[in-house]
Amino acid sequence: MEPKISRKQAKQSGVFLTIAIIINLISIMVMNTAFMICALILIFIAAYIWDKTNRCPHCGTHFRGSFADKPNAGYCRKCGKLMEYDEEP
């Protein structure tokens, strides 16, 4: 069985980043540091998930981004192998 990229974690990274941006904009509007701290924590969580999931399962090279709505994640720039998700969209 070939190693595959987790579609669930790719989606989670995008959701956390989107929520963090919204919370950050709210914190700027209401001048609340608690919201800003919450947004920073979510950004670090999203970055951690992105770092772990956006890698080629064959050679470990980072790729630009995962688009969870596509059937596959594309081809690796280093090894040229197809990077597939673990489940269908």
Side-chain angles (χ1 to χ4, degrees):
M1 186 171 157
E2 257 185 60
K4 297 186 178 188
I5 299 168
S6 172
R7 184 182 302 272
K8 180 181 173 184
Q9 288 180 340
K11 286 181 182 180
Q12 283 177 346
S13 177
V15 168
F16 281 139
L17 191 58
T18 304
I19 292 171
I21 290 170
I22 292 169
I23 291 174
N24 196 15
L25 291 174
I26 291 171
S27 73
I28 291 170
M29 287 190 297
V30 297
M31 301 287 186
N32 191 339
T33 57
F35 280 151
M36 194 170 291
I37 292 170
C38 181
L40 286 174
I41 291 170
L42 285 173
I43 288 171
F44 284 123
I45 291 171
Y48 178 77
I49 293 172
W50 178 84
D51 183 55
K52 296 299 176 193
T53 57
N54 283 5
R55 290 180 177 267
C56 173
H58 305 286
C59 67
T61 303
H62 277 284
F63 59 94
R64 271 179 268 168
S66 57
F67 300 102
D69 57 341
K70 291 188 176 183
N72 61 47
Y75 291 92
C76 178
R77 287 180 278 156
K78 186 175 180 183
C79 67
K81 293 186 179 179
L82 178 66
M83 297 180 289
E84 295 181 302
Y85 288 112
D86 59 354
E87 58 188 38
E88 294 300 317

